[in-house]
Amino acid sequence: MKTIREAADMFAVSTRTIRYYEEIGLLRPQRDANNQRLYSKAEIAKLKLIFRGKRFGFSLEEIKEMVLLFDQDRTGKKQLERTIAYGQQRVKEIDDKISELQEMKKEMEHLMVLFSEKLNNIKGEGK
């Protein structure tokens, strides 16, 4: 079992962040006799999933759905199916963004060539 401070330190986040995840229903820590939050291995695993999901650009609602699915189906099947579906959607969004950025890069490179030619012409005229 880990305290909220230990959990926060593990993931380099504030205790407020972890309390927020509890407020929105992503985590359910146990409490000790002093009412201090204690995080089990399962709750720490949920935190890992939350931070991994955030790193990959999933919304908190998507992450919440994926995390809570495991509570409903301990085999993990539903969670994996939903995670795969969200992952496929996210990969498509990334592919679209890559294409958009590649097109933007080509356009900028073309403009740089035109601007360089114009600059060289202006320099040549100034001689």
Side-chain angles (χ1 to χ4, degrees):
M1 300 292 271
K2 302 238 183 255
T3 66
I4 193 168
R5 168 58 39 212
E6 291 168 331
D9 289 347
M10 275 181 72
F11 296 100
V13 296
S14 68
T15 56
R16 177 70 193 112
T17 297
I18 294 177
R19 282 192 303 273
Y20 175 71
Y21 294 148
E22 180 184 353
E23 287 171 21
I24 64 172
L26 281 168
L27 300 170
R28 291 189 198 108
Q30 298 174 17
R31 301 282 183 147
D32 67 10
N34 297 322
N35 206 30
Q36 184 177 15
R37 291 169 174 87
L38 294 175
Y39 295 87
S40 65
K41 287 183 181 181
E43 294 300 299
I44 296 298
K46 284 181 186 179
L47 279 169
K48 286 179 187 174
L49 289 173
I50 292 165
F51 293 118
R52 182 181 298 146
K54 287 180 60 70
R55 190 175 81 237
F56 289 131
F58 294 111
S59 72
L60 279 179
E61 279 304 310
E62 291 168 332
I63 293 167
K64 183 176 181 178
E65 182 181 355
M66 290 183 279
V67 167
L68 295 181
L69 276 173
F70 187 74
D71 290 339
Q72 297 169 11
D73 171 21
R74 289 294 182 170
T75 68
K77 180 181 175 229
K78 288 180 182 179
Q79 181 187 42
L80 288 171
E81 288 171 345
R82 194 70 202 127
T83 301
I84 290 167
Y86 278 139
Q88 289 169 334
Q89 178 183 335
R90 186 72 182 124
V91 166
K92 185 189 179 317
E93 291 169 4
I94 291 168
D95 284 340
D96 291 347
K97 187 66 173 177
I98 288 170
S99 294
E100 180 184 327
L101 289 170
Q102 287 173 332
E103 189 60 37
M104 188 185 305
K105 179 183 175 202
K106 280 192 335 192
E107 186 176 334
M108 287 184 74
E109 288 172 339
H110 175 71
L111 286 172
M112 300 262 292
V113 168
L114 292 176
F115 294 160
S116 293
E117 289 172 358
K118 186 172 185 172
L119 180 60
N120 287 335
N121 287 339
I122 292 171
K123 286 180 179 178
E125 291 172 3
K127 289 184 181 180

